[in-house]
Amino acid sequence: MEKKRYAPIIAGNYADPSIIRVGEDYYMTHSSYKLTPGLVIWHSRDLLNWSRVGAALPHYEGNVWAPDFVVHNGMYYIYYPAGRTNWVVTASSPAGPWSKPINLGIKGIDPGHTAGPDGKRYLHMSGGDFVELTADGLAIAGEVRHVYNGWRYPDDWVVEAYSLEGPKITVHDGYYYLTAAVGGTAGPPTSHMAVSSRSRTPWGPWEHSPYNPIIHTESRDERWWSKGHASLIDLPDGQWWMVYHAYANGFHSLGRQTLLEPIEWTSDGWFRAAGGRERLIDQYDDRPHDEGETNAGNQGASFRDSFDGPELGLHWQCEGVEPSARFRPGNHELVAEAASEEAKASPLLYMAGHKRYSAEVEIIVEGPAEGRLLLYYNDAAYLGMGVNEHGVRHFRSFKGYGTMQNHTRRAFLRLVNDAHIVSFYYSFDGVEWIRYDKVADVSGFHHNTFGGFQSLRIGLDAVGKGTVIFRDFSYNAISS
């Protein structure tokens, strides 16, 4: 059977998915790194269409990686690592409000929660470590010990590193199935994978699945690279699925995106990737899959923000600080206080989810400030256009370019990213557009070049001194 060509259910850099089901509702969260609000909560009724309904971390709480979303005895928990320790937040509803983080005081990354046959609660962590929790799940109740040695791939496989990470426990028919990620999460296209082991208890002994790896990119020619870090979920009708992350072929710059794939249980009690399957998977694969990714999961093909409300939506985030520290929406405009470039204050960031797209905004500057529309990976890798008191100019992280003179302190900016080739446009009246005489290649703006596991995001920023006003931001996917 020909392999299905899966599209992302959530496009853009949404890595390390952790998913739960509550009746007929599904909730999911991901690594949020330094992005704030962090641990954004997504909701769906069909596993295909997702919307943001809250954030567990409204304030900056550190560099947040690989969480585990848990429902236990009617309460909701998210366990996550940050700042060389592990934390937990709780809520009575998946959408929140969530408690303040509680420090568990244990090292390790990628916590995975389960309840044992003894009624006690436990956390698995990267490297095969394991610790008992108190009955309320808010503290540890014992010493960390090693209980799991993962499945090993053949020595001649081309991977980044072994890196046993992302343990997730699924209880099914009397077994505890531990699904883990190995192989390194970036690096070569064939590096990452998800593997499975099972035991009658959460602490072993473990036997490895004969179907390992459950998911794995076998060739750089495949549509998705570095597939791995899977979480399992069941449907009310008995179907089973897994969500995982992967890079689009040749597009590390978009980050690790969330994919969905069916699994099936075998007669000997193991699960494996099911390939094509009826019902939901047919709906999934019938969605457009052209190279423009115009229907790339829930990162809508068209988005507009007129900034008419008193608060920014969850599609906007900053790194290391709440957006409200500098950006104030309302009355159909977004007002930003300028910060010096040396201060390295975070731009306001929007997650791009397509291979080809445009972004546009109107900018007005007050005082010796510069308002910017940019593409941002990190403080060392960004580029864009700015409006200042002298006109419009193009800039990159390592160089500034000539200014197109105009003293109105107002301009419309547009950038077009056509599969890594970025062009810049400006207009002083919103009608006549001029292309700036510089075009950039941003294919190298990704983790394997700059580290950090980020993606190339669209940013709005204000630098210098004074105030910048933004109006009518828009994002549009471009069909191939």
Side-chain angles (χ1 to χ4, degrees):
M1 179 182 294
E2 182 182 355
K3 289 185 177 180
K4 297 284 187 176
R5 297 180 61 202
Y6 300 110
I9 55 171
I10 301 183
N13 192 25
Y14 295 100
D16 307 314
S18 182
I19 188 170
I20 60 172
R21 178 173 66 86
V22 184
E24 296 185 351
D25 293 278
Y26 304 91
Y27 297 91
M28 184 161 52
T29 193
H30 306 78
S31 288
S32 52
Y33 315 106
K34 296 181 180 180
L35 288 172
T36 308
L39 292 177
V40 171
I41 310 298
W42 296 77
H43 170 254
S44 175
R45 296 277 290 180
D46 60 7
L47 287 178
L48 302 179
N49 299 285
W50 294 84
S51 60
R52 303 171 182 87
V53 294
L57 302 178
H59 308 293
Y60 177 63
E61 303 289 353
N63 200 352
V64 175
W65 298 73
D68 193 27
F69 205 163
V70 177
V71 55
H72 182 79
N73 291 338
M75 284 293 292
Y76 299 89
Y77 304 77
I78 301 177
Y79 294 89
Y80 67 92
R84 299 176 180 265
T85 185
N86 280 269
W87 307 78
V88 60
V89 290
T90 65
S92 58
S93 166
W98 289 83
S99 71
K100 292 183 178 180
I102 298 170
N103 188 352
L104 297 176
I106 51 173
K107 295 182 179 180
I109 61 172
D110 302 7
H113 173 277
T114 193
D118 55 4
K120 296 180 179 180
R121 301 173 67 174
Y122 300 93
L123 273 188
H124 283 266
M125 290 173 288
S126 60
D129 290 342
F130 169 91
V131 69
E132 182 183 339
L133 297 172
T134 55
D136 61 7
L138 304 182
I140 63 170
E143 297 295 322
V144 175
R145 56 194 176 99
H146 186 81
V147 297
Y148 175 70
N149 293 310
W151 178 84
R152 289 275 177 173
Y153 45 78
D155 290 342
D156 62 348
W157 283 18
V158 179
V159 299
E160 182 180 31
Y162 182 64
S163 299
L164 176 59
E165 298 174 340
K168 296 290 184 288
I169 299 290
T170 303
V171 181
H172 181 68
D173 286 348
Y175 278 103
Y176 290 79
Y177 292 84
L178 192 157
T179 306
V182 298
T185 191
T190 55
S191 58
H192 210 26
M193 65 196 82
V195 301
S196 178
S197 307
R198 72 182 182 185
S199 171
R200 292 293 186 181
T201 75
W203 51 84
W206 300 94
E207 56 179 326
H208 300 313
S209 172
Y211 302 101
N212 282 338
I214 305 301
I215 49 172
H216 179 225
T217 303
E218 298 177 1
S219 165
R220 71 179 69 187
D221 298 326
E222 292 184 28
R223 178 177 174 83
W224 293 100
W225 287 356
S226 298
K227 296 186 292 188
H229 201 108
S231 292
L232 275 58
I233 191 70
D234 65 328
L235 275 63
D237 65 3
Q239 291 190 67
W240 281 80
W241 296 78
M242 59 182 169
V243 292
Y244 60 92
H245 65 214
Y247 290 105
N249 183 323
F251 281 82
H252 280 101
S253 60
L254 283 173
R256 295 172 293 171
Q257 307 183 59
T258 304
L259 276 71
L260 172 74
E261 190 164 338
I263 62 172
E264 60 187 5
W265 293 95
T266 65
S267 59
D268 53 353
W270 294 99
F271 69 89
R272 62 185 177 187
R277 197 161 75 181
E278 69 280 2
R279 291 188 288 188
L280 181 56
I281 195 63
D282 293 332
Q283 301 172 34
Y284 184 43
D285 263 17
D286 283 345
R287 299 187 303 165
H289 293 339
D290 61 51
E291 288 302 309
E293 296 289 357
T294 55
N295 199 31
N298 301 282
Q299 212 45 22
S302 180
F303 172 80
R304 185 185 180 111
D305 197 336
S306 59
F307 307 116
D308 55 347
E311 295 182 358
L312 286 166
L314 292 171
H315 45 268
W316 293 110
Q317 295 168 294
C318 288
E319 284 192 344
V321 67
E322 298 81 46
S324 59
R326 281 206 301 141
F327 298 90
R328 303 187 306 276
N331 298 319
H332 302 286
E333 61 186 29
L334 177 69
V335 179
E337 299 301 323
S340 67
E341 288 191 75
E342 292 75 16
K344 295 185 176 179
S346 173
L348 186 66
L349 300 170
Y350 178 84
M351 190 77 74
H354 300 83
K355 297 175 182 177
R356 296 176 170 88
Y357 59 85
S358 66
E360 187 175 312
V361 71
E362 179 186 358
I363 298 178
I364 301 169
V365 296
E366 298 175 352
E370 181 171 270
R372 292 179 167 184
L373 173 65
L374 68 157
L375 293 178
Y376 179 89
Y377 183 84
N378 62 19
D379 287 340
Y382 59 86
L383 72 171
M385 296 194 74
V387 180
N388 56 49
E389 59 188 325
H390 304 295
V392 170
R393 73 182 186 104
H394 171 56
F395 61 87
R396 304 186 189 183
S397 49
F398 57 86
K399 186 177 181 179
Y401 295 85
T403 299
M404 305 298 104
Q405 295 290 324
N406 185 283
H407 298 287
T408 62
R409 295 176 174 267
R410 173 177 178 259
F412 301 80
L413 302 183
R414 177 192 300 154
L415 60 84
V416 177
N417 186 346
D418 186 0
H420 294 144
I421 305 304
V422 181
S423 301
F424 305 91
Y425 299 80
Y426 63 94
S427 172
F428 294 115
D429 59 9
V431 177
E432 180 183 2
W433 288 87
I434 304 166
R435 190 175 81 164
Y436 195 96
D437 187 26
K438 291 289 181 292
V439 178
D441 183 337
V442 295
S443 57
F445 284 55
H446 57 74
H447 169 77
N448 289 337
T449 305
F450 293 101
F453 288 106
Q454 299 301 327
S455 64
L456 191 60
R457 295 150 292 174
I458 299 165
L460 303 178
D461 204 3
V463 300
K465 295 181 179 180
T467 302
V468 175
I469 297 170
F470 299 92
R471 294 176 179 166
D472 294 324
F473 172 85
S474 63
Y475 171 93
N476 292 283
I478 301 171
S479 299
S480 57

